[in-house]
Amino acid sequence: MVLTNLDYFFTTFFKAHRCKIIHKEKGLIKVQLTKELDRELMNRPFYWHYMEKMGQKGEPMKLTFITDPNHPNQQSGEWVHFGSPRLQQIINHLKKNEIFAKLYQYVSSHVETPLYPWLVINIKIIYQGKQTREELFSIGLNLINGLMRTNMMESIHDLSFQRSVPDFCFPLSPLIRLKSGYRRIENVLKQYIYDQDQTWVEETLATGKHELALLQHFYESRDDENEALYQKEVSDIKNRYQPKIIVQVINGGLFYLTDSYQN
Amino acid sequence: MNELDIVFEKNFIQQLEERVINDLPTSSWDLFKMTYDIQKSTLIHTSDDLLAIDYLPHLTCLPHQLNTAKQVVMQMNGCAILADEVGLGKTIEAGLILKEYMIRGLVKKVLILVPASLVNQWIDELVNKFYIPAVAYRKGYSWKHVDIMVASLDTAKRAPHCSEIHNINYDLIIIDEAHKLKNHQTKNYQFVKGIKKKYCLLLTATPIQNHLSEIFNLISILKPGHLGNYKAFIEKYVKAVPSIEDNHYLKELINKVMIRHTRKDTNIKPSKRHIKTIWVDFSKEEETYYKQLEYELGNKVPFLKLTLLREICSSREACYMSLKKLSNNSDHPVEDLHSFIDGLEKLPQHAKARKVIEIIKKIGNEKVIIFTEYHATQYFLQWYLQQHGISSVPYRGGFSRSKKEWMRQLFQHDRQVLIATEAGGEGINLQFCHYMINYDLPWNPMRLEQRIGRIHRYGQKKDVYIYNLATKQTIEEHIMNILYKKLNLFERVIGELDDILSKLLITDLESEIQAIFHKSTSTGEAKVKLNHLTSIIQENIELYEEMGETNGTNKP
């Protein structure tokens, strides 16, 4: 799992943002931020505003992360751990920014190689009832022949991709438009949701009713004084026990893959 | 499916198309993949374990702790009273919940209010067990800028902290020893009620000590309005005897916000408690003096009689303080008071104190905690132990946090005995010690539970030995025999009684007993009444046990 190895996580994140890793040892990483990342993470808009006004370049900060709480130099840096605000900030940054992709499978080839377009959608279904449950789907749709497959990310996880067309490769034009491809995926998911066991919906509604009835016993005599409280409780209960499903795209994009991905 | 909302993402594909067509910047494979992996690993599954478990591989939690944390996060929406019996690890539960919310990205700003003596211990557990960067409040720290602050309630409620804290939107507040908030008229209560929060955990081993209104007040902090308003609640549940049906609703509602485990539910095989009653005989002189107090002076100052009798059973010094106070009060001169004070001075060394030396010598080199109800006795014992070559440290509620911590450390590394007063009983964890002497017994059994909980709690690996001292032919004998022995308080796992009392809604036990002694004209009468009281409790206990068997709902 990506988050169990924080050293790897930070290295990858900062390298991908073209930050220089100044120093690295087990449990400690020191990076030189770029100006862009400094603006995103360090929360010092006045500094940058001032630098711009003065026509100066400004100096992005260096950050030292301690990933091992027992590291001997733990005072020299910022202790990051699962659930720490910094990690959360970076995760939120990822979630906000890494949504769209257009990537070509890297192929080292000397002969002309066709690349097939796939629409890859990573989608989260959130079931909000008495309890919240989430499901994640990674669905790929071949935009030439309409083949659909699940666990798409898992199956391409170890491949390399780049943002430009590799030498000797030629991407094929999609026959299915992105929007209609997306609709196909959406329909499959809809069907999937409808086909599911819906007892949780009934359970949630029943619990809501039960809680409302229970609340009544404590508000048998309602007066002006407690009417507002009562209404608030009622609407809280109603909101909490209104079953709801949210289908949320995490990220996705247009992927060009070699022929071997047809099957 | 009519009642079900399904909300589909609308904008994504439009935006993707625009980017593709116009060749706008898109993600690199590494970051794209990383984002997917993070989403995948922080997914919420109902059936699965908490996410936090994956991140705390070094921590072994007990099943009931995991269940509590799961239940609070998944079913109770982060607002709960964690009411496990003393020593079952409420701190672990709170830590797990906090960690879980932090990993889910739902909690960032946290305030943890605990007794001053526990601040360091909380920090230690959060940092070392949960890798949560909690910070102890120190002078000059900014409430606004520290994300996870641990402070004592007493510090936090003072100006200017109070208003600073009230201006902050907290994601989570945790309050340890939350029974301090049972009275809604106190400053503590008003202060906590005024904190803006999304989630809230109240930790207490004794959610109801005396009065049902206490639970109302605790729940009102978590969910204002959940139990209607105070007036109506008091009318229905406290003043009147609630109907069985009403009681059922109440229980159900309480169970929605409170989780309680007893040792019995958790199947933990804790180390054993060996409890021994030690009877002490007064010397002839002490006995005579006691009788004089009871029949002569006691009748002149009836409101003080009980206090004086309890005090003389503890130490001459404790009794002296009260007599002295009485003699300084010139509004109500009491005849012959001076002869009593003189008499006190002539008494021999206290019989109980001699017994204590005996016990400690027998225990040998082990650490011992002595609990007393009186400061004066505490001073006296310190001196008395010193005379017998036994080193000791005092401990009481009024000490500052650092002094408490210092005393604890002195005790752990340097001294043999810690002498604590009641106020010092809360919070402090003294598991390295396995012997406890209750020099005088509290009249509220819950307080005894808290005392024992200092050394006999989750994590204690050795057996613990508790010695309860009581003087024969005195008020202590009645209390010991009737309250503690007849109710089997010692043989029961103590938390059980607490559980029973709170479920039976038995009101203030201590004041009940006091009233009996006050209103009775003779010891005989008091004895009969006490017997009566304990019989009622006993019946209730039996009833409760039957109920528990038939409907199996005695577990919240």
Side-chain angles (χ1 to χ4, degrees), chain A residues 1 81-83 88 98 100 131 133-134 154 157 159 163 179 210-211 214 217 219 242 245 247, chain B residues 3 5 7 9 14-15 26-27 29 36 40 44 46 99 102 131 133 225 236 249 252-253 256:
Chain A
M1 191 174 56
H81 56 93
F82 311 106
Q88 215 58 52
E98 311 305 334
F100 305 102
Q131 305 179 13
R133 183 167 63 94
E134 298 176 339
E154 285 72 14
H157 202 267
L159 302 179
R163 275 179 280 197
K179 270 184 183 157
H210 184 80
E211 294 234 336
L214 193 58
H217 292 286
Y219 283 93
Q242 175 57 48
I245 294 176
V247 183
Chain B
E3 282 145 331
D5 296 337
V7 185
E9 170 88 41
Q14 174 77 32
Q15 287 177 12
T26 50
S27 294
W29 173 233
Y36 175 76
K40 195 174 163 187
I44 299 166
T46 25
K99 186 74 184 177
M102 288 179 75
Y131 297 160
K236 193 160 171 182
Y249 293 134
E252 193 179 337
L253 212 69
K256 284 198 193 315

Side-chain angles (χ1 to χ4, degrees), chain B residues 58-106:
Chain B
H58 55 288
L59 188 72
T60 34
C61 299
L62 293 169
H64 78 272
Q65 295 167 336
L66 287 174
N67 285 337
T68 301
K70 263 195 232 175
Q71 205 181 333
V72 170
V73 172
M74 294 170 186
Q75 286 163 32
M76 299 169 119
N77 208 21
C79 288
I81 301 173
L82 306 183
D84 286 356
E85 246 176 64
V86 173
L88 290 181
K90 289 187 286 292
T91 319
I92 303 278
E93 292 167 358
L96 270 174
I97 295 164
L98 169 57
K99 186 74 184 177
E100 182 72 16
Y101 276 128
M102 288 179 75
I103 292 171
R104 290 186 181 195
L106 294 169

Side-chain angles (χ1 to χ4, degrees), chain B residues 115-170:
Chain B
S117 58
L118 281 182
V119 170
N120 289 332
Q121 201 182 314
W122 267 87
I123 296 280
D124 188 54
E125 297 224 346
L126 290 178
V127 171
N128 295 324
K129 283 194 181 142
F130 293 98
Y131 297 160
I132 292 170
V135 173
Y137 178 78
R138 299 265 181 276
K139 218 178 219 142
Y141 280 16
S142 153
W143 298 96
K144 220 167 110 195
H145 292 117
V146 177
D147 277 330
I148 300 166
M149 184 83 96
V150 181
S152 77
L153 185 55
D154 292 327
T155 307
K157 76 177 177 206
R158 278 201 309 265
H161 311 312
C162 169
S163 53
E164 271 179 58
I165 289 169
H166 281 172
N167 277 328
I168 297 171
N169 284 312
Y170 285 99

Side-chain angles (χ1 to χ4, degrees), chain B residues 21-38:
Chain B
I21 292 168
N22 301 325
D23 236 351
L24 295 172
T26 50
S27 294
S28 71
W29 173 233
D30 278 346
L31 292 177
F32 185 85
K33 190 163 70 168
M34 190 181 245
T35 308
Y36 175 76
D37 288 345
I38 285 170

